[in-house]
Amino acid sequence: MEIPELVETLDREGRLLAAAAEEADTDAKVATCPGWQVRDLVRHTGMVHRWATSFVAEGHASYHPDGGLPDLDGDELLSWFREGHRRLVDTLAGATPDVQCWSFLPAPSPLAFWARRQAHETTVHRVDAESALGPQRSAVAAQFAVDGIDELLRGFHGRTRSKVRTQEPRVLRVRATDVPDTVWTLRLSQEPPVCEREERGTADCELTGPVDELYLSLWNRLPFPGLTGDASTAEVWREKSGITWS
């Protein structure tokens, strides 16, 4: 996806997140993140937005820590979130394409990385915020969901730090039923996963369904929409694929 599309998505998703959080109230429990209330979700996402903004706006060439979580709640917290989200959107929209700064996943440029990462970060957490209101949620666009699965399988879990490993080799396939020719083959072993964007060989387990449901289930926000084969292979993903803040 192009940078302007990603920034537009980030803009929309952040506004939806804030609206859902306001409607639910910051005391509400976040169904998709056990143990969290809406205030925890808003504090976390707002902190990440400010952290991401700092790299692009200030040109940090190496990792630097986040600014911590604010001691805010209620309307003050939501105002703080909206302010930081707006600054992130404006910073990404106004940055020059060749801006140089630190990033941590493969991308055509640092700007492309941060636009993509923050669009997906905010979308997943928007779904979290909406879960505090009930099972209904706003849709995730199909091509954006495809991009997000790519980022998760080939980006995050293409790194040496991925914990998705098995003692014996296994193959997990992910197939979107609503986007033609959209298949990922994930090869699991004692080494980091290897992901191919194609159907190759046989799979021990196959996950199927609409691509937006696959996207959210791979981020452990929904049950797998469809599963055939060895369910224990899918459980490896459930148990070991979580991306945590550190």
Side-chain angles (χ1 to χ4, degrees), residues 29-195:
K29 294 181 180 180
V30 179
T32 51
C33 297
W36 268 20
Q37 292 174 290
V38 167
R39 66 173 58 85
D40 302 306
L41 175 68
V42 175
R43 287 170 180 167
H44 167 78
T45 313
M47 174 272 290
V48 173
H49 284 172
R50 283 167 164 75
W51 179 74
T53 298
S54 69
F55 287 102
V56 179
E58 301 167 25
H60 294 292
S62 59
Y63 172 84
H64 78 109
D66 62 79
L69 300 176
D71 186 18
L72 298 172
D73 203 352
D75 290 343
E76 284 186 312
L77 176 60
L78 291 170
S79 294
W80 173 86
F81 173 84
R82 287 183 169 112
E83 177 187 328
H85 170 248
R86 184 76 259 150
R87 182 160 182 251
L88 174 59
V89 170
D90 291 346
T91 296
L92 293 171
T96 58
D98 61 350
V99 65
Q100 294 299 305
C101 61
W102 179 81
S103 58
F104 61 87
L105 294 178
S109 68
L111 183 60
F113 162 79
W114 284 110
R116 182 195 206 190
R117 177 78 294 276
Q118 291 309 300
H120 289 294
E121 174 87 8
T122 306
T123 298
V124 171
H125 287 320
R126 180 268 293 170
V127 172
D128 292 333
E130 290 181 343
S131 79
L133 295 169
Q136 299 301 315
R137 60 176 175 84
S138 305
V140 177
Q143 288 305 318
F144 182 70
V146 170
D147 181 74
I149 294 174
D150 259 352
E151 185 202 42
L152 182 60
L153 299 188
R154 303 169 75 188
F156 277 106
H157 289 288
R159 301 183 296 174
T160 57
R161 64 190 296 178
S162 174
K163 296 178 181 178
V164 181
R165 306 189 186 205
T166 55
Q167 287 298 313
E168 300 297 329
R170 299 189 195 180
V171 176
L172 176 65
R173 181 160 291 135
V174 178
R175 186 190 306 275
T177 55
D178 56 342
V179 182
D181 303 318
T182 304
V183 181
W184 294 264
T185 300
L186 198 65
R187 302 187 181 280
L188 309 180
S189 69
Q190 296 182 37
E191 300 298 319
V194 175
C195 183

